[in-house]
Amino acid sequence: MSLVEEIRRVLIENPDILVDVLVSRPEIVYKALAKLVPWQNLATKQDVGELRKEVEVTKEELKRDIRQISVKLDALGAHWGVLGEDAFREGVREFLREVGYKVERWLYYDADGHVYGYPSEVELDIVIKDGVVIAVEITSSLKRGDLYIVKRKTELYTKASGRLVNAVLIITPYINDKNPNYVKVMAERIGIKLVTPEEAAEKPL
């Protein structure tokens, strides 16, 4: 067996060696990439740093907007009992527009029954601000089973539109469950942020 073959065998049987080398000498990877793509297309450390700053700014803006929506939702919640479901949704959509979001009402025929288990029309609000895409479910009352419906709606939207969804929100004045805190935990575990009137009174996000 030649030396090259022996080295190849050792690396295949012990891949951790290769990982250790790349971690300790990351410039090897960068040089290899430079041969494959034009140098100007490679992200520098400065580029990555700027991108991280932009992401952090976006997160802070989103947190601020959610707090603002929660305060207004509290006010609307005091009157929502005299409003129909459609009027409630339009009221929340107007709040979203006020804080600078573009609101798109997405309607889609789910022929494969991905969301409900049978063919049906699916509706979801998509709000966009500064390139951030957020899927929003607006409902006057939330049950724990609704969480997975919203998750499947978002999956279907992503598949059908090809758009990356940066966050998923459910905006509601009322969690219809014997254990609302459990519903909040469930939502967090599957990547959904609940926006309720209580949000405004809770500690900073």
Side-chain angles (χ1 to χ4, degrees):
M1 180 181 294
S2 68
L3 178 59
V4 172
E5 290 175 339
E6 178 63 19
I7 293 174
R8 181 175 180 275
R9 183 188 65 79
V10 171
L11 290 176
I12 291 175
E13 294 178 358
N14 302 275
D16 289 344
I17 295 175
L18 184 57
V19 173
D20 290 340
V21 171
L22 293 178
V23 170
S24 61
R25 297 286 301 280
E27 66 273 13
I28 294 175
V29 178
Y30 199 86
K31 288 178 181 178
L33 287 173
K35 293 180 181 179
L36 297 175
V37 298
W39 66 268
Q40 63 268 27
N41 293 336
L42 292 176
T44 64
K45 289 183 178 180
Q46 183 178 355
D47 294 331
V48 174
E50 292 297 324
L51 180 59
R52 285 177 177 171
K53 289 180 182 178
E54 290 179 9
V55 170
E56 289 304 317
V57 169
T58 300
K59 285 182 179 179
E60 290 305 315
E61 289 180 350
L62 179 58
K63 290 176 182 179
R64 181 200 63 206
D65 292 345
I66 288 175
R67 180 59 51 81
Q68 189 173 350
I69 293 168
S70 298
V71 172
K72 294 186 176 183
L73 183 61
D74 193 17
L76 181 61
H79 304 286
W80 88 268
V82 298
L83 300 174
E85 182 80 15
D86 289 341
F88 174 76
R89 287 178 178 171
E90 189 52 42
V92 174
R93 289 182 184 123
E94 186 58 35
F95 292 163
L96 291 167
R97 295 185 188 104
E98 286 179 10
V99 294
Y101 286 96
K102 175 184 176 183
V103 182
E104 299 177 358
R105 185 167 173 245
W106 184 67
L107 289 173
Y108 186 83
Y109 183 68
D110 178 17
D112 297 328
H114 177 75
V115 175
Y116 296 106
Y118 53 85
S120 63
E121 188 177 69
V122 173
E123 177 181 353
L124 190 64
D125 282 299
I126 302 298
V127 297
I128 302 171
K129 182 179 181 182
D130 299 329
V132 176
V133 179
I134 305 174
V136 181
E137 179 77 1
I138 304 170
T139 178
S140 58
S141 178
L142 175 71
K143 297 179 182 178
R144 65 174 66 184
D146 296 336
L147 296 176
Y148 291 96
I149 290 176
V150 174
K151 181 177 174 62
R152 290 194 293 270
K153 281 185 179 182
T154 304
E155 292 170 347
L156 182 62
Y157 170 79
T158 299
K159 180 179 179 181
S161 69
R163 269 179 174 173
L164 175 65
V165 175
N166 301 101
V168 184
L169 305 182
I170 295 180
I171 300 176
T172 183
Y174 178 61
I175 299 177
N176 185 14
D177 192 274
K178 62 182 180 181
N179 190 348
N181 288 332
Y182 178 72
V183 176
K184 291 180 181 181
V185 172
M186 284 180 61
E188 185 176 353
R189 286 179 178 174
I190 61 176
I192 296 176
K193 173 64 181 176
L194 296 188
V195 182
T196 64
E198 291 81 6
E199 189 76 44
E202 293 175 358
K203 62 182 180 180
L205 294 168

